[in-house]
Amino acid sequence: MMTQRYRSRLSGPLLDRIDLHIEAPRVAHKDLAATCSAESSAAIRARVEAARQIQRRRLEPFGLHTNSQMQARHLKQFCRLDAEGEKLLEMVVDRLGMSARSYSRILKVARTIADLTGEENIRQLHLAEAVQYRGLDRKLG
C-alpha cells in the first residue's frame, strides 16, 4: 500500500530520465544461505571494461564515451533492430504507452546489454532484457 502511494507520486517525465527501474524483492533466508557458484567480481569487471572499450571505440568520432550519451541520430546508426526486435519494441511501446524518452532508454540499455555479451547487433533477447529494466513504466503505464 505504501509502495503504491509512493510510486503514484513519481511523475512520468521523472521516471523517463532513469535508465533502469529494478524491483528488489525480499530474499528468503535459505536463498541467502545457499552456497552456489556465481560469476566472480573480477570476471564481471573484465566484461564491463570490455563493453566500455567497445563503446568508446564506437562513439569516439562523435565525442561521446558511453551509450547513455547517444542522441537520436546515434540510435538510428548504432541501435538498428531486426524484424523481431522491431515487432517486440512496437508491441511494448503500444501496450505500455511509453514515451519517446523511454523508447530511447530501452534502445540504449539494449545496446549496452549487447556490448556486454560482445555482440555487434542488438537481438530480441537484449531488447527483452532492457524492457524488464523499465519495471516502473509497466506498473504506472
Side-chain angles (χ1 to χ4, degrees), residues 10-137:
L10 297 174
S11 70
L14 174 64
L15 286 176
D16 281 349
R17 289 172 170 78
I18 301 171
D19 290 346
L20 306 176
H21 310 165
I22 299 176
E23 200 166 321
R26 291 179 190 226
V27 179
H29 177 266
K30 68 180 177 96
D31 294 330
L32 290 172
T35 55
C36 61
S37 61
E39 187 176 15
S40 71
S41 294
I44 293 169
R45 179 185 179 102
R47 249 186 333 115
V48 169
E49 287 177 352
R52 293 292 296 250
Q53 186 61 34
I54 289 168
Q55 291 173 34
R56 274 193 289 279
R57 276 194 307 260
R58 178 189 308 123
L59 299 170
E60 188 176 45
F62 305 98
L64 306 175
H65 304 286
T66 64
N67 292 339
S68 67
Q69 297 173 308
M70 289 191 290
Q71 302 296 315
R73 67 182 180 272
H74 307 116
L75 293 176
K76 285 180 175 47
Q77 184 174 355
F78 300 118
C79 298
R80 291 190 189 111
L81 304 176
D82 60 13
E84 293 86 18
E86 285 287 352
K87 188 175 176 181
L88 172 64
L89 202 50
E90 179 183 351
M91 180 187 71
V92 167
V93 169
D94 289 348
R95 186 173 293 164
L96 300 179
M98 288 186 174
S99 67
R101 186 173 280 127
S102 289
Y103 176 88
S104 296
R105 299 275 189 214
I106 288 171
L107 286 176
K108 291 175 187 181
V109 171
R111 174 72 268 160
T112 300
I113 294 166
D115 291 343
L116 284 166
T117 60
E119 296 192 40
E120 188 166 330
N121 297 313
I122 297 173
R123 296 185 7 219
Q124 187 178 19
L125 178 69
H126 305 133
L127 271 173
E129 184 175 343
V131 168
Q132 290 299 307
Y133 295 137
R134 299 296 301 188
L136 291 178
D137 287 331

